[in-house]
Amino acid sequence: MGKRQLDVAREQFASQHPDIVVATMWYPIQLVPDVPEQGLPFAEFYERRLGSPEAVRRRQRQVAQAADGAGLDIDLARIERFPNTARAHGLLRRVARLGEPELHEAMLERLFAAYFQRGEDIGDAATLQRLAGEVGVPPERIAGAGAGAAAELPVGRAITGVPHFMFNQRLALSGAQDADTLVATMRRAMLAPATTGSA
C-alpha cells in the first residue's frame, strides 16, 4: 500500500515539477528479526502479537479497507506463514546491484503480490528463485541470494513502522501515508535545510 501511494506521489510530483528528477532508493530493514528462519504460523503470530482473535480480525479489516482505498486487492486469508524476510531482502539487494531500477521495482512488486495476494512463503529460498525468474532476473546473477542475508541486514531499531520514507535526507514519514501527504512532504524537503550526521 505504501509503495502504491508512493508511485502515485512520484507521478504527481513529476507532473508538477518536471525539471526535478526523483530517484528512489530502497533500504532493507527487518522490524521483526527474531522470527525463525522457517517462519511462524501466520494466525498464531498475529494472535500473540495483538492479543486475541478479535483483535486480529479488526486489524485485518483495517488493512483490507486501506488496501481497497489504494486500489489493491489483497487476500490475507491465503497467508499461512509469517516469514523471516532476510532472504527476500537479500534477493532485493542482489537485484539492486544489477543497476537496473525498473527490474528492482518489478521484483519488489512481485514479492508484495506473492505474499499479500497469493499467500506464498517469501522466506523460502526456492520460492524466491522462482519469483525472480518470473520478472526476468538472470538466475546466475542472484545465485545464493539470501545466503547469510540475516547477518548483513540492518535491524530497524530507530524505525518503528513501515513503510518509512526519508526525503532528501531531510524529512521523514513513517507508516502508510496518502499520496497527497507524500507530495507535500517532497515539496517541503526541497526547501528544508540539509541535516547533519546520518539519517
Side-chain angles (χ1 to χ4, degrees):
M1 289 177 283
K3 184 180 184 302
R4 184 58 52 87
Q5 296 291 355
L6 178 62
D7 290 343
V8 174
R10 288 187 298 191
E11 290 177 8
Q12 291 180 1
F13 187 87
S15 68
Q16 297 164 9
H17 304 277
D19 55 325
I20 297 177
V21 176
V22 176
T24 304
M25 301 288 293
W26 298 96
Y27 296 96
I29 296 291
Q30 264 191 307
L31 290 181
V32 192
D34 55 347
V35 174
E37 184 177 335
Q38 70 275 16
L40 293 168
F42 183 79
E44 293 178 23
F45 171 81
Y46 273 104
E47 188 172 331
R48 255 194 335 268
R49 193 172 180 86
L50 298 179
S52 71
E54 179 53 35
V56 173
R57 285 191 289 271
R58 279 197 307 271
R59 179 62 179 147
Q60 289 187 346
R61 282 195 298 269
Q62 292 171 349
V63 171
Q65 289 171 354
D68 187 60
L72 293 169
D73 181 25
I74 64 171
D75 189 354
L76 299 178
R78 298 185 70 172
I79 303 174
E80 296 182 0
R81 300 202 70 73
F82 183 85
N84 180 309
T85 57
R87 281 196 181 104
H89 283 308
L91 170 60
L92 283 169
R93 288 166 73 98
R94 294 286 184 96
V95 175
R97 289 174 189 149
L98 297 178
E100 300 178 39
E102 289 183 3
L103 186 61
H104 184 267
E105 293 252 345
M107 188 73 255
L108 188 62
E109 287 276 358
R110 189 64 192 84
L111 286 171
F112 285 147
Y115 184 63
F116 289 107
Q117 295 176 325
R118 294 186 181 181
E120 296 183 87
D121 183 0
I122 60 170
D124 176 69
T127 298
L128 293 173
Q129 291 285 341
R130 175 175 54 77
L131 297 176
E134 288 178 7
V135 299
V137 177
E140 69 277 5
R141 300 295 300 274
I142 56 163
E152 65 178 22
L153 196 61
V155 176
R157 292 186 181 89
I159 296 175
T160 57
V162 291
H164 182 84
F165 303 96
M166 176 64 72
F167 297 100
N168 244 11
Q169 297 297 315
R170 292 173 175 159
L171 297 177
L173 289 173
S174 278
Q177 306 288 338
D178 61 57
D180 289 342
T181 300
L182 294 173
V183 170
T185 307
M186 292 164 77
R187 287 201 201 99
R188 291 201 309 274
M190 291 190 304
L191 303 174
T195 58
T196 57
S198 60

